[in-house]
């Protein structure tokens, strides 16, 4: 598909159920880090967040910002450098350690007593805390509520059968007046089984529509050569702003 205008107006796939039984285990995600199959990581950070950062932060200071399934996202450093507190969760300890190493940040680590085997890694400056555990175990750590959420590579990585559980947990973490940036991908799900998974508008409405207003801020053609190996010929990324109704 060469016409970008036509591409960005592409209709939703009718086959929204085709991926519903696809499941990846936590061990498989950890193996991706060990095997360096982390093409989802963006070395320069996410350009849509950079472009819409003012809309995200809204000029406020001292915000608590949550990064679900954070990997080693450089955006966490961007936000922390602006004086905000960053909390992330990631199953790969390797990914978390690489974040601190890549950003040249000293850190400490300690066990999370409420979650056996889990750890929290904290920057020496105190404004970045990354929890190494299963996302769904996170509430046991009493991490509090957040003003902002940057959800890129998170909902689209969650097994479709867990979407409702994921959305319920995310909504429980939001403070009054929250702003939730959510990135999803559109492609033909009959040609690629995921992850990243295809999350259509109807699914976002089902998950968040009862409590959130949803506005699409931008659609971008993000198709790359590597996507050809998925068997698809287009990928459109959509950035949504979710706010409370």
């Amino acid at each position: 598909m060469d016409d970008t205008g036509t591409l960005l107006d592409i209709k939703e796939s009718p086959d929204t159920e085709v991926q519903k039984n696809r499941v990846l285990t936590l061990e498989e995600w950890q193996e991706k880090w060990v095997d360096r199959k982390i093409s989802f990581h963006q070395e320069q950070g996410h350009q849509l967040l950079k472009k819409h950062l003012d809309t995200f932060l809204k000029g406020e200071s001292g915000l608590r910002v949550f990064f679900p399934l954070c990997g080693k996202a450089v955006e966490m450093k961007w936000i922390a450098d602006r004086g905000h507190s960053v909390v992330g969760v990631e199953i790969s300890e390797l990914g978390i350690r690489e974040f601190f190493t890549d950003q040249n940040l000293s850190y400490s680590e300690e066990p999370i007593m409420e979650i056996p085997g889990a750890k929290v890694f904290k920057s020496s400056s105190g404004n970045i805390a990354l929890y190494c555990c299963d996302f769904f175990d996170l509430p046991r750590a009493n991490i509090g509520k957040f003003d902002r959420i940057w959800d890129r590579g998170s909902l689209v990585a969650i097994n479709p059968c867990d979407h409702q559980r994921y959305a319920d947990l995310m909504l429980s973490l939001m403070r009054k007046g929250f702003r939730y940036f959510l990135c999803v991908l559109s492609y033909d799900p009959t040609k690629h089984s995921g992850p990243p998974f295809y999350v259509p508008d109807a699914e976002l409405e089902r998950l968040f529509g009862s409590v959130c207003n949803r506005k699409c801020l931008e659609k971008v053609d993000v198709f790359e050569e590597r996507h050809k190996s998925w068997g698809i010929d287009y990928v459109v990324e959509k950035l949504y702003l979710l706010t409370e109704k």
Side-chain angles (χ1 to χ4, degrees):
M1 296 192 178
D2 299 321
D3 186 342
T4 300
T6 304
L7 176 63
L8 297 182
D9 293 331
I10 200 157
K11 296 218 175 346
E12 298 273 289
S13 169
D15 299 294
T16 56
E17 296 281 292
V18 70
Q19 295 175 335
K20 69 178 183 178
N21 296 320
R22 174 89 163 113
V23 171
L24 250 72
T25 65
L26 295 178
E27 290 73 23
E28 286 176 290
W29 280 110
Q30 289 170 312
E31 286 168 9
K32 285 180 182 291
W33 282 92
V34 173
D35 297 338
R36 311 315 293 166
K37 294 179 179 177
I38 54 170
S39 57
F40 48 80
H41 175 66
Q42 298 190 349
E43 293 285 351
Q44 304 304 315
H46 201 284
Q47 296 309 301
L48 284 180
L49 179 60
K50 186 177 286 187
K51 180 176 178 180
H52 295 277
L53 195 57
D54 289 345
T55 300
F56 185 59
L57 297 176
K58 216 181 171 188
E60 296 179 42
S61 58
L63 297 169
R64 294 193 82 225
V65 184
F66 183 49
F67 283 72
L69 278 56
C70 60
K72 57 175 181 175
V74 301
E75 300 95 301
M76 295 190 287
K77 180 75 161 41
W78 296 354
I79 299 295
D81 283 349
R82 285 166 172 77
H84 306 291
S85 295
V86 167
V87 174
V89 62
E90 168 60 47
I91 192 59
S92 171
E93 184 173 322
L94 181 59
I96 290 176
R97 290 187 186 279
E98 286 185 13
F99 167 76
F100 288 107
T101 301
D102 290 355
Q103 301 304 323
N104 198 26
L105 295 172
S106 57
Y107 64 95
S108 60
E109 61 183 274
E110 58 191 68
I112 304 170
M113 294 310 187
E114 300 89 344
I115 308 173
K119 298 178 184 177
V120 59
F121 295 76
K122 296 179 180 179
S123 63
S124 299
S125 59
N127 60 348
I128 301 176
L130 305 184
Y131 289 76
C132 186
C133 64
D134 182 342
F135 172 81
F136 293 111
D137 285 337
L138 201 56
R140 291 155 60 187
N142 298 314
I143 61 168
K145 293 182 181 285
F146 297 92
D147 306 292
R148 301 287 188 272
I149 294 177
W150 171 237
D151 186 328
R152 181 262 160 186
S154 185
L155 175 59
V156 298
I158 294 291
N159 294 325
C161 60
D162 289 326
H163 278 179
Q164 189 64 60
R165 192 159 63 120
Y166 177 88
D168 291 346
L169 177 47
M170 294 298 273
L171 292 169
S172 76
L173 295 174
M174 296 177 187
R175 277 183 181 160
K176 191 168 180 57
F178 68 83
R179 296 176 84 76
Y180 180 171
F181 266 20
L182 172 62
C183 284
V184 297
L185 299 173
S186 286
Y187 61 83
D188 185 345
T190 65
K191 295 180 178 178
H192 177 58
S193 61
F197 295 107
Y198 169 65
V199 184
D201 287 350
E203 179 73 342
L204 295 180
E205 179 63 26
R206 183 182 75 83
L207 296 173
F208 299 106
S210 62
V211 293
C212 297
N213 295 311
R214 187 175 76 257
K215 178 182 180 182
C216 184
L217 298 180
E218 192 162 349
K219 300 177 184 178
V220 183
D221 175 6
V222 292
F223 184 80
E224 298 176 1
E225 190 69 23
R226 66 187 176 92
H227 292 130
K228 289 182 179 178
S229 67
W230 298 6
I232 59 178
D233 57 6
Y234 71 91
V235 187
V236 173
E237 186 167 36
K238 300 178 185 178
L239 172 64
Y240 287 96
L241 168 63
L242 276 58
T243 54
E244 65 182 327
K245 282 189 171 177

